[in-house]
Amino acid sequence: MEDLYREIIIDHYKNPQYRGHLDPSDIHFEDDNPLCGDHIEITLRVDGDGKVTDGRFDGNGCAISQSSADLLIESVIGKSIEAVKQLTKQDVLDLLGIELGPVRLKCALLPLKVLKAGVYGLSEANDDLIA
Ligand code: FES
C-alpha cells in the first residue's frame, strides 16, 4: 500500500496539476522551510461566499514538499475558507499516505503552514498553524 502512495507522491512531483501562480488572486502567501531553504508560494481565488474557486502553488523543493502542495491545493478547491482554516497536520498526512520522520514531516507540512498563514491573513507563518 505504501508503494502506491509513493507512486502518487512521485507522480504529483513530476506532473503537478496545480503548479503556477494566479494573478489576480485573493490570497497569497509564501515562506521557506528553515531547515533547507526550500520555498512554497500559494495563491488562491475565493468567491463572494467564501469558497475557494481556484488555487496554485509554486516554489522549489523536494518531492514531498512539492507533491504535498499539489495534493493540498487539489483538496482545498471547492472548500470554504472556514474549512481550510480547520485543516490539520493529519489531513496532510492522510493525503500523502506514508509514514514520515521529523525532517520529512517539515517538508510535508510546509505547504499547509503557507496555506493557513494565507487564509488567516497573517504577516508571518508559525508552527502553531500546523499543530
Ligand atoms: Fe526542503 Fe523537503 S528538503 S522542503
Side-chain angles (χ1 to χ4, degrees), residues 42 44 72 76 84 87 110-120:
I42 282 178
L44 299 178
L72 196 59
V76 301
V84 176
L87 287 173
L110 176 63
L112 180 64
K113 187 157 99 170
V114 170
L115 176 70
K116 287 185 80 172
V119 296
Y120 275 106

Side-chain angles (χ1 to χ4, degrees), residues 33 36-39 60-65 103-104 106-108 110:
N33 180 342
C36 61
D38 288 345
H39 187 79
N60 61 286
C62 63
I64 298 278
S65 67
V103 174
R104 286 302 183 187
K106 286 263 187 210
C107 304
L110 176 63

